[in-house]
Amino acid sequence: MYNLIKKNGNARLGEFTTVHGTVKTPGFMNVATVAAIKGGLSAPDLKEIRCQVMLCNTYHLHVRTGDEKIKALGGLQRFTGWDRPILTDSGGFQVFSLASIRNIKEEGVTFHSHIDGKRIFMGPEDSMRIQSNLGSTIAMAFDECVENPAKYEYAKLSCERTTRWLYRCKEEHERLNALCDTINRQQLLFGINQGCTYDDLRIRHMQEIAALDLDGYAIGGLAVGEPTEEMYRVISAVEPYMPQNKIRYLMGVGTPVNILEGVKRGVDLFDCVMPSRNARHGHIFTSKGVVNLNNAKYELDDRPLDEACDCPVCRGFSRAYLRHLIKAKEVLALRLCVMHNLYFYNTLMEHIREALENDTFDSFYENNVHVLDRRCVD
Amino acid sequence: MYNLIKKNGNARLGEFTTVHGTVKTPGFMNVATVAAIKGGLSAPDLKEIRCQVMLCNTYHLHVRTGDEKIKALGGLQRFTGWDRPILTDSGGFQVFSLASIRNIKEEGVTFHSHIDGKRIFMGPEDSMRIQSNLGSTIAMAFDECVENPAKYEYAKLSCERTTRWLYRCKEEHERLNALCDTINRQQLLFGINQGCTYDDLRIRHMQEIAALDLDGYAIGGLAVGEPTEEMYRVISAVEPYMPQNKIRYLMGVGTPVNILEGVKRGVDLFDCVMPSRNARHGHIFTSKGVVNLNNAKYELDDRPLDEACDCPVCRGFSRAYLRHLIKAKEVLALRLCVMHNLYFYNTLMEHIREALENDTFDSFYENNVHVLDRRCVD
């Protein structure tokens, strides 16, 4: 249940109630691909870095350890120790990007596991069943992810199939939620808007899926190769057709500035591997821009990563120590840099919510949009 | 300052006072080779797993990031955030085991860095200066480490050189402690007993170094290839010649049972990479023996690693989840398994101290000596 509290222009302050707790929006979901955040963060760590929602990958968990085993172990919450909301993706993105030798038919997709080459079939019903086994708070519909740029005709046919798949997802999802042994019988279902970078396809598809009255709507198939300005244009084009009373999720986006721009255009939820992936390469997000810890100038710098940050890393460790750990290829470097970057994203969302609450989002945007993605110069 | 509280046979309960706090003995030091525990544990984590002393490697820190830079950053305690006792080894063991093309002379050893091949000279004075720069609580004397088995004549000459080096260490250590800009002017110095597996060499060398009235004495050059029974025999042979009023440290040892046997023979301090190294391969120490998490039988096992353990890992995660993380090669697997194993070692020492306190060490020994190193069968 999404509750819109107030707007600043198109930017929305809201709350999303689930059986596993309330999510304040705009919010950023922290990616735990195989039920663990890369870099060695556990469920208690996620609480410390102010995460609201953990995002797990259906495809990865299906191929290893297996969703049926995770169901036997009580579902993802019991498995990971994270008792707050979990969103599972549909597996679609990974099937279309990681797996090899795909064969797409109306029924679904046949592909080979990237782990052991095993032949796997996944269609809308399978995706729903896997996500039901995982017991996530929010399941995502199974869609076709098309790379940009794509031909108009292919994009159109793919959109139509994604709509047909969505009907099948909804039916199977309702059936599974009604079963006695389902782990989370109040699991929510989000539909995914597709249409590549064609505004008319995006809008028509959004209108079609809005008619299903789902629990939330995502914009998928962006940040997959198109220029950033095109992504912003598509969001702005489709946004007026997204139900005001439903939560909106922009999938796989993005840099701090991408998120600011998304919020400004009416998006409520984000996820991205960027904060953790960049952290693993020593690229640190700060309130003054991006710090590259590999830079020799940090060798004797005993300041914290971000003097304005009160994360566990900035409270306890210097740039010099973190750089030393990176150079020595110590696992602790990964952990601390990932902790900081995710904390930065999670608290960026808090600052955005605070600005919306105080009706100062416009000035917050102006003060940050030219700072956050540039190189830190201090 | 070592204070012997009481004995059960040869086993000693004591306290060791340093400028950075008191260490209760018998105690186990947690190895943080390059100023970080392998597996992603930070200084605050060490407190949570009940570590008393962190052990850092002089050689590794000398070749990267460099002890002079660490001195400029305020020393190891400020660098790592660990404000309790730190022991630095002398660099000797690494110089003799890791570095290539060694040239040993009376002055010291010339070798090539394992990182960039750079030619480095290290003698007793250099080792003392590096450890002084690091600002550790306890510095170890620079000794020659000889592999077992070694020829008697070589072992004898090596022992004599190690004694001469110890005199030079002591002199340089006193000089450095007297300098105004030394980070820890109350740094302690431990001498190291050598002599391979020759009891007479061991005893003579121990008598020689005991005469220097150092802050503590270590038994080095064991657990380097000789049979375990020979190690126990050497400890028993040399122990009567170790000063009763000084702390005794058995270097690089060992399994939980090795530690029990060491305590029984009058040893106070231990260190070993085994708990962290084995953890990284899924080998878990428990009160019922060793669990190999790679074993398929743990796939659906939702019990904690050790039902008798109250470490952060056993309180929050199942064997099934940890096995999943290992199979998925997630960094979180390393972290959680290392946390548990180090906690197991640190609390094993607490249980040993409790038994000594209650004069029940003999029964504690009997109850555990046949259990801790075997495979867990539950």
Side-chain angles (χ1 to χ4, degrees):
Chain A
M1 240 303 268
Y2 176 75
N3 173 35
L4 175 61
I5 297 171
K6 66 153 76 172
K7 292 177 76 172
N8 284 202
N10 275 339
R12 295 149 44 105
L13 180 70
E15 275 181 348
F16 186 62
T17 312
T18 79
V19 67
H20 299 132
T22 296
V23 182
K24 294 181 178 182
T25 61
F28 180 78
M29 302 188 283
N30 294 199
V31 180
T33 308
V34 299
I37 304 275
K38 299 277 175 209
L41 276 66
S42 66
D45 294 324
L46 280 190
K47 293 189 180 174
E48 213 182 339
I49 59 166
R50 309 180 77 81
C51 169
Q52 296 192 89
V53 184
M54 184 165 90
L55 188 156
C56 296
N57 287 114
T58 289
Y59 165 81
H60 285 99
L61 292 168
H62 177 60
V63 297
R64 186 168 50 200
T65 284
D67 49 285
E68 289 176 3
K69 285 177 187 147
I70 291 172
K71 182 180 185 183
L73 288 159
L76 276 178
Q77 288 199 318
R78 176 122 189 245
F79 193 53
T80 62
W82 174 254
D83 58 2
R84 298 182 188 174
I86 296 176
L87 182 141
T88 42
D89 67 0
S90 67
F93 183 78
Q94 279 75 25
V95 166
F96 289 97
S97 64
L98 280 183
S100 59
I101 324 178
R102 296 181 303 270
N103 182 4
I104 312 173
K105 292 192 175 165
E106 184 61 24
E107 297 75 40
V109 188
T110 306
F111 58 96
H112 292 268
S113 158
H114 76 293
I115 292 176
D116 57 8
K118 201 178 132 191
R119 188 186 162 97
I120 303 176
F121 173 82
M122 195 185 286
E125 292 79 8
D126 308 276
S127 174
M128 290 301 104
R129 194 186 60 247
I130 296 168
Q131 293 182 73
S132 179
N133 284 342
L134 295 173
S136 57
T137 317
I138 303 160
M140 297 301 297
F142 187 72
D143 58 338
E144 183 182 352
C145 298
V146 181
E147 273 182 40
N148 291 330
K151 292 206 174 136
Y152 184 87
E153 199 50 33
Y154 188 86
K156 183 167 176 288
L157 289 172
S158 168
C159 262
E160 290 165 5
R161 179 158 52 207
T162 287
T163 304
R164 291 192 298 275
W165 282 359
L166 181 59
Y167 276 87
R168 286 165 54 188
C169 282
K170 192 186 179 198
E171 190 179 334
E172 180 68 2
H173 186 256
E174 285 170 356
R175 188 185 75 78
L176 292 162
N177 271 4
L179 298 179
C180 294
D181 74 333
T182 291
I183 287 183
N184 175 17
R185 298 182 63 192
Q186 297 179 68
Q187 190 182 54
L188 305 172
L189 177 64
F190 286 9
I192 304 176
N193 173 245
Q194 291 288 357
C196 301
T197 52
Y198 301 108
D199 293 359
D200 64 323
L201 294 183
R202 284 277 173 188
I203 291 168
R204 191 181 325 153
H205 188 245
M206 191 62 236
Q207 289 171 320
E208 285 171 11
I209 66 177
L212 274 80
D213 193 31
L214 299 172
D215 301 303
Y217 289 95
I219 304 177
L222 289 182
V224 290
E226 78 288 353
T228 309
E229 287 311 318
E230 239 176 292
M231 175 174 83
Y232 295 153
R233 196 203 69 233
V234 169
I235 301 168
S236 294
V238 79
E239 187 274 337
Y241 301 91
M242 303 185 87
Q244 280 288 336
N245 64 339
K246 296 290 166 77
I247 193 165
R248 295 113 169 244
Y249 161 30
L250 179 59
M251 301 179 82
V253 175
T255 69
V257 169
N258 293 158
I259 286 174
L260 263 187
E261 297 286 1
V263 168
K264 193 183 176 196
R265 286 165 176 78
V267 175
D268 306 310
L269 266 186
F270 301 84
D271 82 286
C272 193
V273 296
M274 186 176 283
S276 46
R277 181 175 293 166
N278 286 21
R280 299 203 298 276
H281 298 111
H283 295 220
I284 305 298
F285 294 101
T286 81
S287 58
K288 291 182 175 174
V290 178
V291 164
N292 182 350
L293 274 182
N294 296 289
N295 197 315
K297 73 174 174 178
Y298 299 119
E299 198 169 35
L300 291 173
D301 190 339
D302 72 352
R303 292 175 298 172
L305 294 175
D306 184 350
E307 283 172 314
C309 178
D310 62 353
C311 82
V313 184
C314 289
R315 287 199 311 265
F317 307 98
S318 65
R319 292 173 177 183
Y321 181 57
L322 293 164
R323 185 179 187 281
H324 160 77
L325 296 176
I326 286 173
K327 290 293 162 191
K329 297 188 172 53
E330 277 294 316
V331 164
L332 184 56
L334 307 185
R335 174 173 159 85
L336 296 178
C337 292
V338 170
M339 280 190 95
H340 168 83
N341 270 4
L342 285 177
Y343 186 94
F344 179 83
Y345 267 65
N346 293 332
T347 52
L348 171 65
M349 305 316 289
E350 292 179 4
H351 299 323
I352 289 173
R353 293 198 297 271
E354 207 172 86
L356 287 165
E357 177 66 45
N358 299 331
D359 298 315
T360 56
F361 179 74
D362 286 351
S363 62
F364 183 88
Y365 171 89
E366 286 303 331
N367 291 338
N368 286 285
V369 73
H370 302 298
V371 176
L372 298 182
D373 286 1
R374 73 168 190 198
R375 201 165 82 181
C376 173
V377 289
D378 79 343
Chain B
M1 241 302 269
Y2 175 77
N3 173 34
L4 174 61
I5 297 171
K6 68 153 76 169
K7 293 177 77 172
N8 284 202
N10 275 338
R12 295 148 45 104
L13 180 70
E15 275 182 347
F16 186 62
T17 311
T18 79
V19 68
H20 298 133
T22 296
V23 181
K24 294 180 178 181
T25 61
F28 181 79
M29 302 189 283
N30 293 197
V31 180
T33 308
V34 299
I37 303 275
K38 300 278 176 210
L41 275 66
S42 66
D45 294 324
L46 280 191
K47 292 189 180 175
E48 212 181 339
I49 59 166
R50 311 181 76 82
C51 169
Q52 296 192 90
V53 183
M54 184 164 88
L55 188 156
C56 296
N57 286 113
T58 288
Y59 165 81
H60 285 99
L61 292 168
H62 177 60
V63 297
R64 183 168 54 199
T65 282
D67 49 286
E68 289 177 3
K69 286 177 188 147
I70 291 171
K71 182 180 186 184
L73 288 159
L76 275 179
Q77 287 199 319
R78 175 120 189 247
F79 193 52
T80 61
W82 174 254
D83 58 3
R84 299 183 188 174
I86 296 176
L87 182 142
T88 42
D89 67 1
S90 67
F93 183 77
Q94 279 74 25
V95 166
F96 289 96
S97 63
L98 281 182
S100 58
I101 323 179
R102 296 180 302 271
N103 183 3
I104 312 173
K105 292 190 174 165
E106 185 61 23
E107 297 75 40
V109 189
T110 306
F111 59 95
H112 292 268
S113 157
H114 76 294
I115 291 176
D116 57 9
K118 203 178 130 190
R119 189 185 160 99
I120 303 175
F121 173 81
M122 196 185 285
E125 292 80 8
D126 309 275
S127 173
M128 290 300 104
R129 194 185 62 248
I130 297 169
Q131 293 182 74
S132 179
N133 285 341
L134 295 173
S136 56
T137 316
I138 302 160
M140 297 301 299
F142 188 71
D143 58 338
E144 181 182 353
C145 298
V146 181
E147 272 182 40
N148 291 332
K151 292 204 174 138
Y152 184 87
E153 199 50 34
Y154 188 87
K156 183 167 178 286
L157 291 173
S158 168
C159 263
E160 290 164 5
R161 178 156 55 205
T162 288
T163 304
R164 293 192 298 275
W165 282 359
L166 181 59
Y167 277 87
R168 286 165 55 189
C169 282
K170 191 184 181 200
E171 190 178 336
E172 179 67 2
H173 186 257
E174 285 169 356
R175 187 185 75 78
L176 291 162
N177 271 3
L179 298 179
C180 294
D181 74 335
T182 291
I183 287 184
N184 175 18
R185 298 181 63 191
Q186 297 178 69
Q187 191 182 55
L188 306 172
L189 177 63
F190 286 8
I192 303 175
N193 172 246
Q194 291 288 358
C196 302
T197 50
Y198 302 107
D199 294 359
D200 64 323
L201 294 183
R202 285 276 172 189
I203 291 168
R204 192 181 326 152
H205 188 245
M206 191 62 235
Q207 289 171 321
E208 284 170 12
I209 67 177
L212 274 82
D213 192 30
L214 299 172
D215 301 303
Y217 289 94
I219 304 177
L222 289 182
V224 290
E226 79 287 354
T228 309
E229 287 310 319
E230 239 175 291
M231 173 174 86
Y232 295 153
R233 195 205 68 233
V234 169
I235 301 168
S236 294
V238 80
E239 189 273 336
Y241 301 91
M242 303 185 87
Q244 279 288 336
N245 64 339
K246 296 290 167 76
I247 192 166
R248 296 115 169 242
Y249 162 27
L250 178 60
M251 301 179 81
V253 174
T255 68
V257 168
N258 293 159
I259 287 175
L260 262 186
E261 297 285 0
V263 168
K264 193 182 177 195
R265 286 165 175 77
V267 174
D268 306 310
L269 266 185
F270 301 84
D271 83 286
C272 193
V273 296
M274 186 176 281
S276 46
R277 181 175 292 165
N278 287 20
R280 299 203 298 278
H281 298 112
H283 294 218
I284 306 299
F285 293 102
T286 80
S287 58
K288 291 182 178 173
V290 179
V291 164
N292 181 351
L293 274 182
N294 296 288
N295 197 316
K297 73 175 174 177
Y298 299 119
E299 197 169 36
L300 291 173
D301 189 338
D302 73 351
R303 291 175 298 169
L305 294 174
D306 183 350
E307 283 174 315
C309 178
D310 62 353
C311 83
V313 183
C314 288
R315 287 199 310 266
F317 307 99
S318 64
R319 293 172 175 182
Y321 182 57
L322 294 164
R323 184 178 188 280
H324 161 78
L325 296 176
I326 287 173
K327 290 293 162 191
K329 298 186 172 51
E330 278 294 314
V331 164
L332 184 56
L334 308 185
R335 175 173 158 83
L336 296 179
C337 291
V338 169
M339 281 189 93
H340 168 84
N341 270 3
L342 286 176
Y343 185 95
F344 178 82
Y345 267 65
N346 292 332
T347 52
L348 171 64
M349 305 317 289
E350 292 179 3
H351 299 322
I352 290 174
R353 293 198 297 272
E354 209 173 84
L356 287 165
E357 177 65 46
N358 300 331
D359 299 313
T360 56
F361 177 74
D362 286 350
S363 62
F364 183 88
Y365 171 90
E366 286 304 331
N367 291 338
N368 285 284
V369 72
H370 302 298
V371 175
L372 297 182
D373 287 1
R374 73 168 190 199
R375 202 166 82 182
C376 173
V377 289
D378 79 342

